[in-house]
Amino acid sequence: MTPQPSVLDLDLARVRRRCLDFAELGKPRVVVMILITTAVGFYLGSEGAPDYLRLLPTLLGTGLAAAGTLALNQYMERDIDAKMRRTRLRPLPDGRLHPVEALLFGATTTLAGLLYLALAVNTLSAGVTAFTAVSYLVLYTPLKRKTPLCSIVGAVPGALPPVTGWAAARAGFGVEAWILFAILFLWQLPHSLAIARLYRDDYASAGVRLLPVVEPDSKSTGRQVVTNCLALVVVGLMPTLVGLTGPVYFVVALVLGLTYLGYGVAFSVSPSLPSARQLLFASLLYLPVLLIVMAFDKLPPGGVLW
């Protein structure tokens, strides 16, 4: 006779399922990438040895605010998610969580992260994070239904985490922080356009007006990809030119940038699904390698080229 699960086992399974659903609202993989870029910004912005006792609350506050913002995004886009194959099994469109639960979870988590940053780190890092959340939710999210320019707008909050890290470390900004922002901004556009091309039909069915949806021939998409990859080759070298990193980073950034550009050109010539996947893979390789080498080859304060 097969033993039946106890009431306690069933209750524990339901609790575990709900916890996993709330965690899914916060998109843990995206949060991890945000925290990595924040940590790199903090490390590069630190004068001398990094203050790890400040880094930990920086990451905790940023992580909470990021998870809450992403949960609010899912709350706002639950109708879109229900129409797309790749997102229809998320907790809200699948009915596993009630929208009010997602709203309360997202708002509470976001506010908790911002308040913690302000009290445990500094108000500047909290301010940058608050702007990130507001621009993502108030500008980028609704624009996705209206104009392909949403990708450019969305790249702004996506590029701000290293600035948050820098602000947390120095309680101020510098040209180096904005170079980090520019690198992340330019990297995101080919990355996001490759994803948009891969899931063009899904986005079209949900009424999301990304560039590959609005212009199915992808000519404009290809031009945008090449333009941003080309700009990234130049901007990616600037950390060395301003004395933030050394020659090892310069060489690696040049090789990575030209490789990324090569895949961008290949996509522009033939904007097919295989070339979009290759471009996406190149983008996923470019950023972590660049950030690792950037941190490894950081120059001491007052460092000079070569």
Side-chain angles (χ1 to χ4, degrees):
M1 182 176 181
T2 303
Q4 298 297 314
S6 66
V7 174
L8 178 59
D9 290 336
L10 292 175
D11 288 341
L12 288 176
R14 281 193 290 267
V15 170
R16 180 176 180 274
R17 178 67 263 176
R18 284 180 61 80
C19 289
L20 291 174
D21 287 336
F22 278 111
E24 189 177 345
L25 281 180
K27 297 184 179 178
R29 288 183 293 181
V30 177
V31 172
V32 168
M33 180 56 70
I34 290 171
L35 294 182
I36 290 173
T37 57
T38 302
V40 171
F42 186 96
Y43 177 78
L44 293 172
S46 299
E47 299 178 292
D51 183 355
Y52 293 106
L53 293 179
R54 180 178 286 267
L55 174 61
L56 291 178
T58 299
L59 295 180
L60 177 57
T62 302
L64 287 171
T69 300
L70 291 166
L72 290 173
N73 171 258
Q74 288 198 54
Y75 166 78
M76 296 171 67
E77 294 189 334
R78 60 192 185 278
D79 58 330
I80 291 178
D81 287 345
K83 297 175 183 177
M84 297 196 297
R85 290 188 301 272
R86 62 189 290 261
T87 57
R88 63 189 179 191
L89 294 181
R90 286 176 175 175
L92 286 175
D94 195 44
R96 302 195 304 273
L97 291 178
H98 193 277
V100 174
E101 293 178 311
L103 176 61
L104 292 175
F105 171 80
T108 301
T109 307
T110 301
L111 292 174
L114 295 175
L115 182 62
Y116 185 72
L117 278 174
L119 296 176
V121 184
N122 57 41
T123 55
L124 187 58
S125 61
V128 174
T129 304
F131 179 79
T132 302
V134 170
S135 59
Y136 188 83
L137 295 172
V138 177
L139 297 178
Y140 170 64
T141 298
L143 282 177
K144 289 168 70 175
R145 304 171 190 250
K146 298 178 180 179
T147 172
L149 293 176
C150 64
S151 296
I152 297 175
V153 175
V156 173
L160 282 172
V163 180
T164 297
W166 189 283
R170 290 202 183 185
F173 301 123
V175 64
E176 301 93 340
W178 298 115
I179 290 173
L180 296 177
F181 169 86
I183 290 173
L184 267 290
F185 179 88
L186 293 170
W187 167 83
Q188 278 182 93
L189 292 168
H191 171 80
S192 61
L193 289 173
I195 294 174
R197 173 62 184 91
L198 286 171
Y199 298 102
R200 182 175 63 192
D201 294 342
D202 234 7
Y203 286 121
S205 66
V208 179
R209 295 180 61 79
L210 298 176
L211 191 55
V213 173
V214 175
E215 297 182 331
D217 63 6
S218 295
K219 290 182 179 179
S220 294
T221 302
R223 287 195 296 269
Q224 288 289 330
V225 166
V226 172
T227 299
N228 285 280
C229 285
L230 185 60
L232 185 59
V233 173
V234 178
V235 175
L237 303 178
M238 292 183 69
T240 299
L241 300 179
V242 300
L244 181 62
T245 58
V248 173
Y249 168 82
F250 187 92
V251 173
V252 173
L254 181 59
V255 172
L256 287 173
L258 291 175
T259 301
Y260 198 12
L261 175 60
Y263 280 103
V265 171
F267 172 80
S268 178
V269 172
S270 176
S272 61
L273 291 179
S275 64
R277 290 191 189 95
Q278 291 169 356
L279 177 61
L280 179 60
F281 176 79
S283 73
L284 295 174
L285 177 66
Y286 176 93
L287 189 61
V289 174
L290 187 85
L291 294 178
I292 290 170
V293 177
M294 189 183 296
F296 172 80
D297 201 32
K298 175 189 175 183
L299 292 178
V304 295
L305 177 62
W306 316 121

